[in-house]
Amino acid sequence: MSITNPSSTVPTQIWPAAFAERYRAAGHWRGETFGAWLRERADAHPDAIAVIGGEQRWTYAELDRRASALAAGFLQSGLQRGDRVLVHLPNIPDFIGVVMGLFRAGLIPVYALPAHRITEIEHFARGSAARAYVAAAAHAGFDYRALAAELRGRCPTVEQVWISGDAGEFAALEALYATDGGAVPATASQGSDVAFLQISGGSTGLSKLIPRTHDDYIYTLRESARICGLGPASVFLGALPIAHNFPMSSPGFLGTLYAGGRVVLSPSPDPESAFALIEREGVTVTSLVPPLLLQWLDLAPATSRDLGSLRTIQVGGAKLSTEIARRVRPVLGATLQQVFGMAEGLVNYTRLDDPDELIIRTQGRPISPDDEILILDDDGKPVAPGQAGHLLTRGPYTIRAYHDNPSANARSFTEDGYYRTGDVVRMTPEGYLEVQGRAGDHINRAGEKISAEEIEDHLLSHPQVFDAAVVSVPDEYLGERSCAFIIPKGDRPRPADLKKWIRGRGIADFKVPDQIVFVTRFASTAALKISRKALRADLRAQLLARQAAEQPPAPQVSR
């Protein structure tokens, strides 16, 4: 029996009519859907290889058949068009098969990263009112079946669980591939429908849910593939977790499939695994975050693997230093392409034929001529040309609202529809953006966005923590690392024990503080109230000053 869900509103994403009309007239929105264009690619070149992962090599015809079979199986299980399904899979062909099957059935994937644990997964399940969960049996030493059991105990509205691999007590995903999908149409959706829910970077608290439509997202795929020169001969390596927006659509695996190319999935982003696949499969393009690029640059000169097929290395997720950027072509023999964007929309690329200095020192210019950019000062006024300020944007693929989150919408969007990105940028005379950093209490650790507030809430639950403040600290390898300042309650806990405890809270490992500093008290305002934003800024400044002086952390932070 189906369980009635008290929050079952189908996600929507609506642009004002005048804007929607303009975007359709410009040809940005064409009414395409994911299910339909996959069928078109399969009809055009059925025997071309679409997806490679492990020992599996799926042609476009096979991917299309599997998508239809899964669509039929999902619908026969009792799911209905518009229902949400949590997808929690690593870089395996089943990830692509599942999302394509959900698209074809008119179901809405909700993307989770392999690193997410029960705290995040429960939040996504409740926030999206998900009725089903699809996960791997195990990955990187973690048993997702145990998480699935805990999820069903906490969220009874999650009625269905399918597992890729040894399913144990749950239904086997593999069995759905045997379903007869011949009667399933190429699409059950319209271009204006929400195709899926992505997760935000989580600048305050747990991540928000981002509804993306077929129209707006396929526009980014089409333009990204064009800008990045993708075609049927392109071979994209998914080294980063492909549930991330960057390796999904910039142009990522979806853009590669849209262009008729080949997607190669790496089980790990480490150089040894990736270099072997580049040599074996003739990879032409991949996307990396700066810390991973550093590993590749360090190990490439000593590798015996032939990396000569690699033409483009995209780098995004966090700002790349100019010193590292200059090493890419000499060491890896490929063109660097900087990418700056967000799951909420706006994406910027350096172009492949740009002068070297633009590629090395900027993070690119927008995809679309209809991407509107504002750079404002702290008072909301436009900055002078070339000056840094807060980046706001709206356009044909930047959302107008988060899913079911009025308070976040009020904070994040202006009355006239601009999205407040939280990034501080400056624009060059050429119209390219240089990212200066983040405006809020948001830590960008190796491309993973972490909310200081979320981690503070976890720390404050510890019986030996009186108060906590989490700040970002520049890090040459990670871009930024996290440092937690702790006022202990009673006996001071050991840092290692505190890290182990917070890891046991069921959160992604990248959110565990990299550094812990114990203090006796925090500075306060004249009214004896703590301004969290000012406090974090003060603590961060003091820590950086001590590090610059090469002194160990002081035992007390006070005014």
Side-chain angles (χ1 to χ4, degrees):
M1 177 181 294
S2 175
I3 298 175
T4 301
N5 198 314
S7 178
S8 57
T9 302
V10 175
T12 59
Q13 188 65 246
I14 299 173
W15 281 259
F19 286 85
E21 182 178 347
R22 184 206 307 173
Y23 300 151
R24 291 191 180 96
H28 303 331
W29 296 357
R30 301 178 181 177
E32 291 182 281
T33 64
F34 284 96
W37 69 246
L38 174 60
R39 176 64 50 80
E40 292 168 5
R41 302 304 180 275
D43 288 344
H45 38 82
D47 298 327
I49 298 296
V51 179
I52 297 170
E55 300 303 313
Q56 299 183 77
R57 303 176 75 86
W58 295 354
T59 64
Y60 274 87
E62 177 68 6
L63 175 57
D64 184 67
R65 184 198 69 77
R66 286 175 177 267
S68 290
L70 287 173
F74 290 141
L75 294 173
Q76 288 175 20
S77 77
L79 296 177
Q80 299 177 359
R81 183 176 180 273
D83 282 341
R84 275 73 73 201
V85 178
L86 267 169
V87 179
H88 198 189
L89 292 165
N91 288 10
I92 57 177
D94 277 345
F95 183 106
I96 298 177
V98 165
V99 298
M100 288 298 182
L102 293 171
F103 292 149
R104 183 152 291 173
L107 300 166
I108 298 177
V110 183
Y111 295 123
L113 300 175
H116 285 144
R117 297 297 181 255
I118 186 61
T119 297
E120 293 97 357
I121 297 301
E122 180 184 4
H123 172 69
F124 302 151
R126 292 186 183 278
S128 67
R131 289 189 61 200
Y133 174 68
V134 183
H139 174 68
F142 183 78
D143 187 344
Y144 292 86
R145 294 165 300 187
L147 188 153
E150 188 171 1
L151 177 65
R152 291 195 65 175
R154 295 188 183 193
C155 298
T157 52
V158 178
E159 304 168 50
Q160 309 276 358
V161 173
W162 287 280
I163 298 294
S164 172
D166 181 2
E169 66 180 284
F170 300 107
L173 180 67
E174 182 66 27
L176 292 184
Y177 285 124
T179 310
D180 181 4
V184 175
T187 185
S189 303
Q190 297 180 350
S192 58
D193 291 340
V194 167
F196 55 82
L197 291 173
Q198 284 183 295
I199 56 174
S200 73
S203 57
T204 55
L206 286 162
S207 296
K208 300 173 284 292
L209 295 173
I210 301 169
R212 300 297 299 262
T213 68
H214 294 266
D215 269 335
D216 86 78
Y217 211 71
I218 290 175
Y219 173 52
T220 71
L221 302 182
R222 186 171 62 247
E223 285 303 290
S224 293
R226 180 188 63 80
I227 290 167
C228 301
L230 296 192
S234 299
V235 183
F236 172 77
L237 176 66
L240 299 171
I242 59 172
H244 267 299
N245 188 56
F246 179 22
M248 187 187 306
S249 69
S250 300
F253 81 86
L254 285 175
T256 302
L257 294 175
Y258 187 90
R262 181 178 302 185
V263 174
V264 178
L265 299 176
S266 179
S268 168
D270 70 83
E272 182 177 352
S273 300
F275 289 175
L277 288 171
I278 292 170
E279 179 181 57
R280 190 182 82 187
E281 303 297 343
V283 169
T284 62
V285 58
T286 192
S287 49
L288 307 175
V289 291
L292 186 55
L293 174 64
L294 270 175
Q295 289 185 33
W296 284 34
L297 289 170
D298 289 344
L299 295 177
T303 187
S304 61
R305 301 291 186 179
D306 181 0
L307 308 181
S309 63
L310 201 56
R311 296 287 179 266
T312 307
I313 295 178
Q314 299 181 301
V315 180
K319 187 174 181 180
L320 181 66
S321 73
T322 57
E323 293 78 11
I324 298 171
R326 291 185 192 281
R327 295 175 57 194
V328 173
R329 188 184 295 276
V331 175
L332 292 168
T335 298
L336 169 67
Q337 184 173 49
Q338 296 219 42
V339 184
F340 164 56
M342 55 215 66
E344 286 83 355
L346 179 70
V347 180
N348 304 267
Y349 295 101
T350 56
R351 277 29 177 195
L352 298 177
D353 59 354
D354 277 338
D356 284 348
E357 279 305 304
L358 267 183
I359 291 175
I360 287 168
R361 65 181 173 84
T362 79
Q363 281 65 60
R365 58 183 170 88
I367 284 178
S368 177
D370 281 316
D371 280 319
E372 300 177 69
I373 300 292
L374 295 177
I375 303 177
L376 307 179
D377 63 19
D378 290 343
D379 296 322
K381 298 177 181 178
V383 300
Q387 296 299 304
H390 303 277
L391 172 63
L392 286 75
T393 184
R394 68 183 181 187
Y397 59 96
T398 296
I399 65 168
R400 293 294 184 119
Y402 292 111
H403 173 61
D404 195 23
N405 201 330
S407 61
N409 289 334
R411 292 192 305 269
S412 300
F413 299 90
T414 65
E415 290 185 2
D416 53 353
Y418 280 90
Y419 168 60
R420 298 183 176 99
T421 69
D423 293 293
V424 176
V425 303
R426 66 175 292 272
M427 183 175 285
T428 72
E430 303 90 349
Y432 284 59
L433 297 181
E434 290 182 1
V435 178
Q436 308 293 301
R438 292 289 297 181
D441 298 319
H442 188 118
I443 300 161
N444 190 341
R445 185 187 187 277
E448 301 286 4
K449 311 304 191 298
I450 304 169
S451 162
E453 177 184 305
E454 178 192 352
I455 307 311
E456 288 168 359
D457 286 345
H458 283 291
L459 288 166
L460 290 169
S461 298
H462 192 283
Q464 291 172 274
V465 173
F466 174 75
D467 202 355
V470 176
V471 305
S472 65
V473 183
D475 185 281
E476 182 179 359
Y477 182 68
L478 298 170
E480 290 180 339
R481 68 180 187 275
S482 59
C483 177
F485 286 84
I486 305 292
I487 299 176
K489 182 191 300 182
D491 293 335
R492 177 188 296 183
R494 293 174 60 246
D497 291 340
L498 193 54
K499 289 184 179 184
K500 181 178 179 180
W501 179 87
I502 195 170
R503 191 174 284 112
R505 299 274 291 178
I507 64 172
D509 195 61
F510 62 78
K511 296 181 180 179
V512 176
D514 296 295
Q515 182 180 358
I516 292 176
V517 176
F518 289 101
V519 297
T520 57
R521 67 187 181 95
F522 290 149
S524 60
T525 65
L528 301 180
K529 295 180 180 179
I530 294 176
S531 165
R532 303 303 292 185
K533 185 174 182 178
L535 171 64
R536 293 185 187 113
D538 182 67
L539 292 171
R540 184 176 187 270
Q542 291 190 42
L543 180 61
L544 292 176
R546 286 197 295 270
Q547 290 180 345
E550 295 184 344
Q551 295 177 352
Q556 177 173 315
V557 177
S558 61
R559 291 189 194 270

